[in-house]
Amino acid sequence: MPEEAVAVIGISCRLPQAPDPRAFWDLLRRGASGITAAPADRWDEGSTEGGHPAHGGFLDRIDTFDPAFFGIAPREAALMDPQQRLMLELAWECVEDAGVAPTALRGTRTGVFVGAIAADYATLLSQRGPDAITPHTVTGLNRGIIANRVSYSLGLHGPSLTVDAAQSSALVAVHMACESLRSGDSELAIVGGVNLILAPDSTLGLTRFGGLSPDGVSYTFDARANGYVRGEGGGAVVLKPLAAALADGDHVYCVIRGSAVNNDGATDGLTVPSPAAQEALLRRAYERAGVDPAEVQYVELHGTGTRVGDPIEAAALGAALGTARPAGSPLLVGSAKTNVGHLEGAAGIVGLLKAVLAVEHRELPASLNFETPNPDIDFDGLNLSVNTALGPWPEGTRRAGVSSFGMGGTNCHVVLEEAPVRESGPVVRVPAPWQLSARTEAALRGQARRLKQSVADRPGLEPADVAFSLASGRSLFEHRSVVVETGDRADTLAALAAIAEGRPHPDVVSGRADGGKLAFLFTGQGSQRVGMGRELYANHPEFAAAYDEVLAHFDPALRDIINTNPDNALHRTEHTQPALFALETALYRTLQ
């Protein structure tokens, strides 16, 4: 029987040349590469093999962090592995993307599952000797704390663990999160993976192991395959049972139908993959998902571009999925590692994000660096084809698989499907306030700047949708500004620009909130007007229901008096007072 489906409702990432999901999708669509020479400030030129700086996918900045935002003292933050800092930021961003205020999760059974295997920061600190050890060293360097720090910061009571299954860690974390949601241990799950390249020792070790491409290019499934290229960064998703996501009206990027995990067991060597184990994994994943392998149009490969690994992955994929498809309709495959490098412990979440975005946007980006097919892969016999150009998703229900394999033989595969089609209600175009908040004035200006750019880049945004997301999906902090949205796009952009520049604007109210309880003031006599509440009644069912309930307690003629004011009756006290009471009560219940 198929497993209970899980919805992906929030995403975030920080990847080479792609600081967020929109930028990542743009990078993929353009067929661009984020691979560069290592930043000059990472390590000395002579510290890597051959005296040359390593190539890879690197983040622009890894030393910037706002500890006060997360309630962390600067001294403790300095001893924290930057992977902890990055995961905190990714968790916050993906929860906001899910339309949930992060502070609203406090006390809930929200689980945190993170894939991470690197310990470069510990290597760097150990080189400073015993004097560098402080009371924060243990918590700062323990990999388990990468997940636990998120749970602590947000006050989450679900399972919290860092997964180390080598290079398959992040996708195994996704599998474990889905199982936790199905068992009820978690009601929501934040799942991610992080990987930072901080010390030359780790790159040197992988070079001598023989895993890295000497020319700094990933040739996945190509005849030139000679090793992988390292990448750093991270990504995160928010998962929720599909039934709950649909009931709550969440935006669903796509659906996880099922997944499976196994191990190669005894092979010709500890790091030599098993085609039989990989094939068994794939068959198990699609059996659990209740999906016919012939109906899968695309698989995001593990795809490291190694001489041994690529042919084995292709053989298993062809046996389980490719040959199940009609001849002449090959299974399309590709790898994000050709764009941003191999993020090792976080690689699985990168592959998942690429597949999620492709399903969401109904397009398949190109896999790079493929020119001559690997002669050890029988593409025709296995019915496989590397997707080498951006194109529309093939016809049919959009389904994809994502694979991730660890060097010690732990394999994971996840089955994705497009989100179910939902009936959309009428669009209500009512001007609504846009609220922004931050812990500092500088951060508030930064938020306004980013929101202005986002709105300018997306002309199709509905102002009411933006207002709703800002009000319900963002945590409130002390420094606040509200844009009184008038419906004029140019006015709104000008108001956001004023906040960003610290200038006053007639459509902006700014201030600082110092706590206190919420209070409602019902207006008194003199504020009545003919037809008051008419537009709200027509557009908001909650208002209409409450309005009708209150008016039912008064003279039936009151409704007509409010709407038409015969003989100036609305302005007589015996009508004014109940009319205003009905309006204000309905407004209050609508706000509730």
Side-chain angles (χ1 to χ4, degrees):
M1 185 172 180
E3 297 178 320
E4 181 185 1
V6 172
V8 179
I9 64 170
I11 60 176
S12 65
C13 68
R14 199 92 78 249
L15 297 169
Q17 310 300 315
D20 56 52
R22 288 182 63 199
F24 183 39
W25 180 242
D26 179 65
L27 182 86
L28 294 169
R29 289 192 81 254
R30 290 187 290 110
S33 170
I35 306 302
T36 63
D41 60 355
R42 288 296 177 97
W43 46 68
D44 296 333
E45 188 169 319
S47 62
T48 52
E49 200 84 317
H52 300 290
H55 282 71
F58 296 94
L59 300 184
D60 292 334
R61 299 294 301 272
I62 57 171
D63 58 342
T64 54
F65 180 66
D66 183 1
F69 182 86
F70 294 101
I72 300 170
R75 184 173 296 178
E76 182 177 7
L79 268 294
M80 286 169 57
D81 186 332
Q83 294 179 129
Q84 288 188 30
R85 307 177 207 161
L86 178 57
M87 193 60 224
L88 281 171
E89 294 170 345
L90 291 169
W92 189 279
E93 290 169 8
C94 73
V95 170
E96 284 194 333
D97 187 67
V100 178
T103 50
L105 293 179
R106 187 168 296 276
T108 63
R109 285 194 326 279
T110 298
V112 180
F113 304 81
V114 180
I117 64 175
D120 283 24
Y121 200 60
T123 298
L124 292 177
L125 289 182
S126 68
Q127 294 170 356
R128 296 170 56 186
D131 291 343
I133 299 174
T134 78
H136 301 300
T137 300
V138 172
T139 55
L141 301 182
N142 187 296
R143 277 204 297 274
I145 301 295
I146 297 175
N148 301 160
R149 182 84 68 172
V150 174
S151 300
Y152 174 78
S153 178
L154 299 182
L156 311 177
H157 291 301
S160 180
L161 61 152
T162 302
V163 178
D164 184 347
Q167 290 77 5
S168 59
S169 297
L171 204 62
V172 171
V174 172
H175 170 81
M176 295 175 70
C178 291
E179 296 290 270
S180 182
L181 289 167
R182 294 184 184 112
S183 71
D185 287 343
S186 301
E187 55 188 308
L188 195 74
I190 300 169
V191 194
V194 286
N195 188 61
L196 293 177
I197 307 169
L198 307 177
D201 308 55
S202 57
T203 297
L204 187 57
L206 288 167
T207 301
R208 293 181 179 175
F209 169 72
L212 299 186
S213 168
D215 51 7
V217 181
S218 289
Y219 298 109
T220 300
F221 277 25
D222 190 270
R224 296 165 292 173
N226 59 2
Y228 75 83
V229 180
R230 301 192 77 191
E232 70 176 6
V237 296
V238 177
L239 305 181
K240 190 176 188 178
L242 177 61
L246 295 177
D248 293 342
D250 296 321
H251 170 72
V252 177
Y253 283 95
C254 76
V255 175
I256 297 176
R257 303 295 326 185
S259 58
V261 172
N262 74 358
N263 191 273
D264 291 334
T267 62
D268 292 339
L270 175 63
T271 62
V272 177
S274 163
Q278 289 186 17
E279 181 183 342
L281 170 85
L282 295 166
R283 295 191 186 282
R284 175 67 173 153
Y286 288 94
E287 178 186 350
R288 295 183 69 176
V291 171
D292 183 345
E295 297 176 348
V296 179
Q297 299 106 339
Y298 174 78
V299 168
E300 174 65 16
L301 302 166
H302 181 61
T304 53
T306 58
R307 291 188 180 95
V308 174
D310 282 6
I312 289 176
E313 180 172 9
L317 199 58
L321 275 74
T323 54
R325 296 175 57 80
S329 177
L331 174 68
L332 298 174
V333 298
S335 174
K337 293 177 178 66
T338 61
N339 301 92
V340 296
H342 187 347
L343 267 73
E344 297 163 354
I349 205 74
V350 177
L352 181 75
L353 285 171
K354 176 186 170 182
V356 166
L357 289 167
V359 170
E360 164 91 350
H361 290 284
R362 302 168 182 265
E363 288 184 308
L364 279 175
S367 191
L368 308 185
N369 312 323
F370 183 82
E371 295 177 0
T372 305
N374 188 320
D376 294 327
I377 299 175
D378 179 7
F379 284 92
D380 291 337
L382 296 171
N383 206 19
L384 304 177
S385 177
V386 177
N387 194 64
T388 56
L390 174 69
W393 195 282
E395 291 294 322
T397 301
R398 301 187 300 283
R399 294 189 176 95
V402 182
S403 290
S404 194
F405 309 139
M407 66 187 299
T410 296
N411 310 309
C412 184
H413 189 82
V414 172
V415 183
L416 304 181
E417 186 175 281
E418 65 180 82
V421 177
R422 286 186 286 182
E423 293 289 332
S424 57
V427 177
V428 181
R429 292 182 171 87
V430 180
W434 291 13
Q435 64 177 35
L436 296 88
S437 75
R439 292 198 187 276
T440 65
E441 287 187 25
L444 183 65
R445 291 196 293 272
Q447 283 227 13
R449 188 162 48 249
R450 288 191 296 274
L451 180 58
K452 176 180 177 293
Q453 187 62 54
S454 180
V455 172
D457 291 344
R458 301 163 73 186
L461 284 176
E462 284 290 342
D465 290 342
V466 178
F468 176 82
S469 295
L470 291 171
S472 65
R474 298 293 183 271
S475 296
L476 280 174
F477 299 112
E478 304 91 320
H479 295 270
R480 303 179 187 179
S481 285
V482 176
V483 176
V484 182
E485 204 274 319
T486 63
D488 186 291
R489 185 180 181 81
D491 287 348
T492 302
L493 291 173
L496 290 171
I499 299 173
E501 297 164 12
R503 297 184 285 103
H505 189 279
D507 292 337
V508 173
V509 178
S510 296
R512 177 167 180 163
D514 292 318
K517 295 182 179 180
L518 180 66
F520 291 90
L521 175 66
F522 282 24
T523 186
Q525 189 161 338
S527 59
Q528 70 276 9
R529 59 183 175 82
V530 180
M532 58 186 182
R534 183 180 296 158
E535 190 174 356
L536 286 168
Y537 189 91
N539 289 294
H540 291 276
E542 297 85 356
F543 179 90
Y547 194 61
D548 289 342
E549 181 185 349
V550 177
L551 287 181
H553 293 279
F554 296 106
D555 188 331
L558 184 58
R559 188 189 299 269
D560 183 61
I561 291 171
I562 295 171
N563 290 327
T564 64
N565 192 27
D567 300 323
N568 216 30
L570 179 61
H571 302 295
R572 292 203 294 270
T573 299
E574 66 269 25
H575 298 141
T576 302
Q577 295 285 6
L580 287 172
F581 178 76
L583 177 77
E584 296 296 327
T585 301
L587 278 172
Y588 169 71
R589 291 186 181 171
T590 302
L591 289 171
Q592 277 188 311

